[in-house]
Amino acid sequence: MRHCLCRDLTKMILGKLEGWSLGKHGVITEEGKRGTKSVGPNMTSCHPSYGRKDLLVDCCPPGFQSPLPFVDFQFPDPQSPLRIRRPAHAVDVDYIAKYDKALSIMKSLPHHDPRSFSRQANLHCLFCTGAYDQQNSNAPLSIHRTWLFFPWHRMMIYFHERILGSLIGDETFALPYWAWDIPQGMVIPDMYTNNSSSFYHTMRDVSHLPPQTADLNYVSDTNLSPEDQIDINLAFMYNQMVSGARKTELFMGCTYKAGKEGYCNGPGTIELAPHNALHTWIGSSLNPGREDMGKFYSAAKDPIFYAHHANIDRLWEVWREAHKQQLDIKDPDWLDSFFYFYDENLRLVRVKVGDVVDTIKLGYSYEQVHRPWLNMRPKPSYPPKLARQMLKTKEKNKLEMLSRTHVSSSELDTHGRALDASLTVKVRNHWRKKEKEEEKVIVVHGIEVKGDAYVKFDVYVNLIDQFKISPKFREFAGTFAHIPGGGAGKKKIDLKLGVSELLEDLEADQDDSIWVTLLPTTPSCSNVTVGGVRMEYIK
Ligand code: C2O
């Protein structure tokens, strides 16, 4: 008891000292002095950045050159009513009218007002194309494909929502979410297609307007019936949210620390797809980068961006709850990573990742919906025993192992390979008795993407039946869905796919080796090279 008291006291004093030394209303101070590896922007370092390989954009706010005064984030009054975010397909006309009004006002504000829609959209351009350097470093700051993906976007739409509310004097205003993970939400919600509303946007793929069912693992258009597409989507969600996301890193993305060496480039399941896939699906096929949604510099110009990210944000909560918050990141470098946003009162606010972990403290929550994907555990497309036998005989007879499309992982590791055709890699499974809670992971490492087009390949395990290639089947391990750009520098990408449950279902968890097939699904994959494939355990 006494011990606890003492520790709390010390903590409090240390906390105070830290608060003072940083200065509550001071100018931007050097965060690096504290010796942490947390990431944050140098707000005076803004510079033009590449929206596409062939397009330099300048999204910098006016007046960034001199340090601006800021305040530290404060939670909204816990007494104020909770803002409930509801599914966009289920909101009523009154709500739509209210949001429409708020957004119209926001769109009418002049660009020098940081609350204006153009400035809101530019926030995404700034932090997602590397327009800022980090504090105390000339390393670019970029939040995609790392563990900052979820918290940064949460902050962005939090302030966006608060500003919209204040523009119509309604503290209870909450953004809608586009519930693309459930059957009722798998089309673009109607409110976004009404061309006399402020939600309407022309830069979209017209062939994907309602009643077209969204493809959560989108590459190119298919002729699937809505029922089939929905089935595949649900199985896909199961993989991305449940079996493929049983460890923190697999869901949240890789550990991103400050400085040149600190960038990690390893996205989590949901960021890869549906997130990237739907950005691409929405954007107009007539534009070089499928703008607006198809590229980061332009994505937030489309009002549907905010509903898309509200759903991403909701799924973060769903995942946290499923694991009873046990998988939450505790690393202080993540908790202390920080950004600046303007609030509804035009104050520049410094907000840390640690401030936004709890949505109730932020004053909002999500209306729950039934989630059928939770129980959509896929079945093998082929009897597992038979499949493994066939793969072994094939190998013995050296039928395909001699061809260019089948290699062993050691062979691949020394040369790497362009992904211009499907590639099956025999990977050693290093079977040992798993320690409790360990997750087996397929790592496709050293992925390098040249060119500027949307890139996608899927990963399958012990694939036999070429006619049953679909996320609907258990052989599907995950996907690499990539929007090039993001200003993060040259680091190669690692794709990590959790497969413990999958290997059990394919009865392959104790085999010496498994066959991993990388299946390119976009022509742009000819610009992709992979360094190799290996198995790993994550604790
Ligand atoms: Cu920063 Cu949906 O992307």
Side-chain angles (χ1 to χ4, degrees):
M1 202 52 206
R2 248 179 93 194
H3 172 80
C4 285
L5 207 67
C6 214
R7 204 177 50 191
D8 286 347
L9 207 65
T10 325
K11 239 200 212 154
M12 197 187 87
I13 293 170
L14 281 175
K16 278 244 159 70
L17 283 174
E18 185 182 81
W20 287 332
S21 74
L22 289 173
K24 268 253 173 286
H25 301 270
V27 291
I28 297 167
T29 54
E30 275 180 52
E31 196 74 7
K33 278 189 188 139
R34 293 189 297 144
T36 73
K37 283 283 183 191
S38 55
V39 173
N42 170 357
M43 293 290 277
T44 61
S45 70
C46 201
H47 48 74
S49 52
Y50 282 93
R52 290 192 313 259
K53 279 223 161 94
D54 57 347
L55 182 72
L56 200 61
V57 290
D58 186 353
C59 303
C60 295
F64 66 87
Q65 294 88 344
S66 42
L68 298 168
F70 68 89
V71 294
D72 272 315
F73 181 74
Q74 294 207 321
F75 292 111
D77 180 356
Q79 302 306 321
S80 53
L82 211 55
R83 305 186 303 282
I84 310 291
R85 295 183 181 169
R86 304 192 57 221
H89 65 264
V91 292
D92 58 33
V93 284
D94 290 346
Y95 170 84
I96 294 176
K98 188 167 75 173
Y99 183 13
D100 191 14
K101 185 172 166 208
L103 188 57
S104 313
I105 300 175
M106 183 181 260
K107 283 185 167 180
S108 72
L109 295 175
H111 189 72
H112 66 77
D113 187 329
R115 300 169 305 171
S116 63
F117 190 68
S118 58
R119 291 282 295 280
Q120 294 287 300
N122 272 1
L123 282 172
H124 195 257
C125 173
L126 289 165
F127 286 99
C128 302
T129 63
Y132 287 118
D133 294 341
Q134 294 177 29
Q135 285 228 321
N136 310 311
S137 160
N138 55 4
L141 177 70
S142 182
I143 50 91
H144 285 115
R145 302 177 215 131
T146 77
W147 68 3
L148 293 181
F149 171 75
F150 284 103
W152 186 87
H153 290 88
R154 171 168 289 178
M155 293 170 185
M156 181 191 174
I157 63 172
Y158 169 86
F159 287 102
H160 184 75
E161 177 177 270
R162 301 287 289 177
I163 294 169
L164 286 167
S166 90
L167 292 175
I168 49 169
D170 181 353
E171 260 210 296
T172 68
F173 176 78
L175 287 168
Y177 63 88
W178 175 18
W180 34 251
D181 57 304
I182 64 168
Q184 302 87 320
M186 286 179 190
V187 285
I188 296 179
D190 278 337
M191 58 183 279
Y192 291 95
T193 62
N194 172 358
N195 63 10
S196 58
S197 81
S198 59
F199 314 116
Y200 186 70
H201 198 67
T202 50
M203 299 286 190
R204 292 180 187 149
D205 190 326
V206 287
S207 68
H208 295 162
L209 297 177
Q212 183 60 40
T213 308
D215 178 353
L216 304 189
N217 194 27
Y218 177 70
V219 214
S220 56
D221 293 323
T222 59
N223 298 320
L224 290 172
S225 70
E227 293 74 27
D228 287 345
Q229 183 66 65
I230 288 172
D231 274 358
I232 296 175
N233 284 345
L234 292 175
F236 182 73
M237 282 306 298
Y238 177 88
N239 189 77
Q240 302 299 83
M241 283 296 290
V242 185
S243 64
R246 304 206 296 189
K247 290 291 161 197
T248 307
E249 181 188 352
L250 298 174
F251 183 79
M252 296 296 293
C254 60
T255 301
Y256 179 21
K257 303 260 173 154
K260 268 244 147 61
E261 297 308 309
Y263 189 68
C264 57
N265 227 355
T269 48
I270 290 292
E271 180 181 355
L272 289 159
H275 172 261
N276 286 348
L278 285 178
H279 266 281
T280 310
W281 185 77
I282 290 276
S284 168
S285 55
L286 303 175
N287 294 331
R290 293 190 73 97
E291 288 92 345
D292 282 331
M293 275 286 273
K295 276 275 181 267
F296 294 136
Y297 80 94
S298 53
K301 293 181 191 172
D302 186 338
I304 205 169
F305 171 92
Y306 303 86
H308 181 39
H309 271 281
N311 202 40
I312 300 280
D313 190 65
R314 168 184 153 258
L315 291 174
W316 181 16
E317 284 308 288
V318 170
W319 177 82
R320 291 185 64 223
E321 264 164 48
H323 296 283
K324 306 201 167 45
Q325 282 84 38
Q326 292 301 306
L327 298 188
D328 284 0
I329 299 171
K330 288 160 202 88
D331 188 332
D333 291 336
W334 182 73
L335 293 164
D336 286 342
S337 287
F338 61 96
F339 298 97
Y340 300 88
F341 291 89
Y342 280 98
D343 72 1
E344 66 278 17
N345 299 315
L346 293 166
R347 287 177 312 187
L348 188 61
V349 179
R350 179 175 66 179
V351 52
K352 294 183 177 183
V353 169
D355 295 329
V356 301
V357 179
D358 185 342
T359 72
I360 301 300
K361 279 197 188 160
L362 294 175
Y364 74 90
S365 78
Y366 289 97
E367 183 176 286
Q368 301 244 10
V369 287
H370 174 62
R371 301 186 288 265
W373 47 260
L374 208 55
N375 304 312
M376 292 298 269
R377 184 165 174 167
K379 303 241 178 332
S381 72
Y382 207 81
K385 270 196 196 61
L386 224 57
R388 288 154 60 228
Q389 253 168 36
M390 282 178 65
L391 285 160
K392 279 195 184 130
T393 354
K394 266 191 188 176
E395 193 195 354
K396 259 201 205 114
N397 301 339
K398 298 235 179 216
L399 277 180
E400 278 168 311
M401 293 313 275
L402 289 175
S403 74
R404 229 180 87 76
T405 55
H406 288 65
V407 294
S408 71
S409 60
S410 53
E411 212 176 310
L412 188 65
D413 280 347
T414 39
H415 299 109
R417 254 295 273 283
L419 216 56
D420 46 4
S422 126
L423 179 68
T424 298
V425 187
K426 186 187 176 195
V427 187
R428 283 215 43 175
N429 190 22
H430 295 293
W431 190 76
R432 64 172 161 86
K433 201 159 166 46
K434 251 195 330 181
E435 280 170 42
K436 212 173 138 244
E437 311 276 285
E438 267 185 339
E439 177 72 9
K440 198 170 264 182
V441 176
I442 294 175
V443 188
V444 184
H445 56 90
I447 303 170
E448 196 171 3
V449 179
K450 299 192 194 81
D452 207 30
Y454 178 54
V455 169
K456 192 151 176 320
F457 64 83
D458 289 340
V459 181
Y460 287 85
V461 174
N462 289 0
L463 189 66
I464 281 287
D465 193 335
Q466 301 291 329
F467 297 102
K468 288 189 174 161
I469 294 175
S470 156
K472 217 168 78 185
F473 299 111
R474 191 75 262 208
E475 286 83 355
F476 176 79
T479 191
F480 180 75
H482 180 77
I483 297 174
K490 298 262 175 301
K491 191 141 192 167
K492 292 178 183 175
I493 307 168
D494 286 344
L495 173 69
K496 296 195 179 183
L497 305 170
V499 289
S500 287
E501 190 189 275
L502 175 150
L503 291 180
E504 278 162 37
D505 290 354
L506 296 182
E507 299 168 24
D509 48 331
Q510 303 195 8
D511 286 358
D512 294 338
S513 31
I514 57 169
W515 283 264
V516 177
T517 300
L518 310 181
L519 198 71
T521 50
T522 52
S524 56
C525 281
S526 54
N527 290 326
V528 175
T529 49
V530 294
V533 184
R534 63 167 184 265
M535 300 291 286
E536 210 172 83
Y537 287 92
I538 297 190
K539 273 222 196 316

